[in-house]
Amino acid sequence: MTGIVGDVRTTPLSTPPSRSAPAAGPAPFADRAVGAMAELGPLVFGLDPSGELLVEWELSDTADGLERFVDIAVDAVVGSVGIVKPQAACYERHGWQGIRSLARLVETCRREGVLVLLDAKRGDVGSTNEAYAEAYLGPEAAIAVDAITITPYLGLAAMQPILDRAVANGAGVFIVTRSSNTEGRSIQGARQQGTTTVEHQLVLDIAAENDRVARGRVGPVGAVFGPTHGPPTEFDLSSMNGLFLAPGVGAQGATPADVAACFSSCPGRVLPSASRSLLSAGPDPSHLRDAARILASALQGLLAP
């Protein structure tokens, strides 16, 4: 059945095929991400349907409004960007119906060739991390994504079940290293016994993990590293040998030039992310596509390796 959202005509998407069908294992996430960047640019489109946004789009802040957001979002991103980043919390707030919408978004985007980097910031210890990994990584996962964000502040070694499952299934993991918010600086910039800062040590640890599992290639473990605080002055990001997710472009104040300055030593390994500034162009999918293409073009021009 076809519905109308404002001036936008939307058609509910068909049910995606069962994941039980046999398929070859995917290439490593880093390889697939670099391919997507080469084809459609480095921009990661943040699909964050806050209550305020749903109301602005005249969809209603309800589970039904969220379902209609998914239809519009998929229409807008397929063919426009290579990677999307849904914020899990925006879907979880609608309960089981929101989880259903998230699952439909993920499966439909992946079926259409768009990589999904789920911004869930999971991270705990032991069997809990094993459960998180089983929930999101691998073909049998309940919501199988291409990559996921995690927090390392219970110890990076405690994240090993997630890292191991990512490697085994060609998925990616992005570890929160330098967040885009100012409140994180007191922790992430703190020095460990007068030596390296926490964020520097995480970059070193990520580099060691990538060297262990990728043997010189761009590894599956990346860092969430916000460009809003300027380039790091005490260490070189290129030594990490992984991808960087760069949040904060647009509404949080970072510009394409800020991204280029922060990652000047490794411009070909940066995935800049924008959410609110792009979604403000909606709900017309054509306007969302135009906004994404303009920003992607600006970023690609500045981040050419």
Side-chain angles (χ1 to χ4, degrees):
M1 179 179 295
T2 301
I4 296 179
V5 181
D7 294 328
V8 181
R9 186 171 298 273
T10 63
T11 302
L13 300 165
S14 60
T15 302
S18 170
R19 289 191 302 271
S20 61
F29 173 77
D31 293 355
R32 289 181 284 136
V34 169
M37 293 164 66
E39 180 181 359
L40 293 168
L43 176 65
V44 175
F45 199 137
L47 301 179
D48 303 351
S50 66
E52 180 180 0
L53 179 79
L54 294 176
V55 171
E56 287 178 359
W57 281 18
E58 299 182 355
L59 302 180
S60 79
D61 184 16
T62 63
D64 180 65
L66 181 61
E67 278 284 281
R68 295 160 80 189
F69 169 87
V70 168
D71 291 329
I72 296 170
V74 171
D75 188 4
V77 301
V78 172
S80 301
V81 296
I83 307 175
V84 295
K85 183 177 72 65
Q87 168 51 254
C90 292
Y91 301 82
E92 292 169 356
R93 61 189 289 270
H94 291 280
W96 67 266
Q97 293 164 303
I99 299 298
R100 181 184 62 187
S101 294
L102 176 62
R104 187 166 71 89
L105 172 71
V106 169
E107 293 184 18
T108 308
C109 283
R110 296 188 75 203
R111 188 184 69 221
E112 295 294 334
V114 181
L115 300 179
V116 178
L117 195 173
L118 182 64
D119 195 358
K121 296 185 178 71
R122 300 298 192 242
D124 206 295
V125 294
S127 60
T128 305
N129 276 339
E130 292 177 1
Y132 281 141
E134 291 170 358
Y136 298 111
L137 303 176
E140 301 305 320
I143 303 178
V145 300
D146 296 286
I148 190 171
T149 60
I150 64 173
T151 56
Y153 295 105
L154 275 73
L156 190 58
M159 304 301 113
Q160 203 62 51
I162 299 177
L163 302 182
D164 289 345
R165 191 172 180 89
V167 171
N169 290 280
V173 173
F174 287 83
I175 296 172
V176 177
T177 302
R178 175 190 280 190
S179 57
S180 55
N181 64 314
T182 56
E183 297 89 343
R185 300 309 305 140
S186 61
I187 295 175
Q188 296 152 14
R191 292 195 176 276
Q192 301 183 104
Q193 300 177 346
T195 57
T196 59
T197 60
V198 171
E199 64 186 16
H200 185 188
Q201 188 60 53
L202 284 170
V203 167
L204 294 173
D205 292 343
I206 293 169
E209 181 68 13
N210 281 334
D211 288 344
R212 183 181 73 84
V213 299
R215 296 193 176 103
R217 300 180 64 187
V218 178
V221 187
V224 178
F225 204 93
T228 49
H229 309 300
T233 57
E234 298 183 14
F235 55 96
D236 182 1
L237 291 175
S238 66
S239 65
M240 196 188 78
N241 200 30
L243 298 175
F244 292 92
L245 175 63
V249 178
Q252 289 181 277
T255 66
D258 293 330
V259 175
C262 186
F263 301 98
S264 59
S265 65
C266 51
R269 291 194 272 116
V270 187
L271 300 171
S273 173
S275 303
R276 282 173 287 172
S277 59
L278 294 177
L279 292 171
S280 66
D284 188 321
S286 67
H287 294 168
L288 292 167
R289 285 193 290 270
D290 288 344
R293 286 168 177 157
I294 290 169
L295 182 55
S297 178
L299 288 164
Q300 191 165 30
L302 290 169
L303 295 173

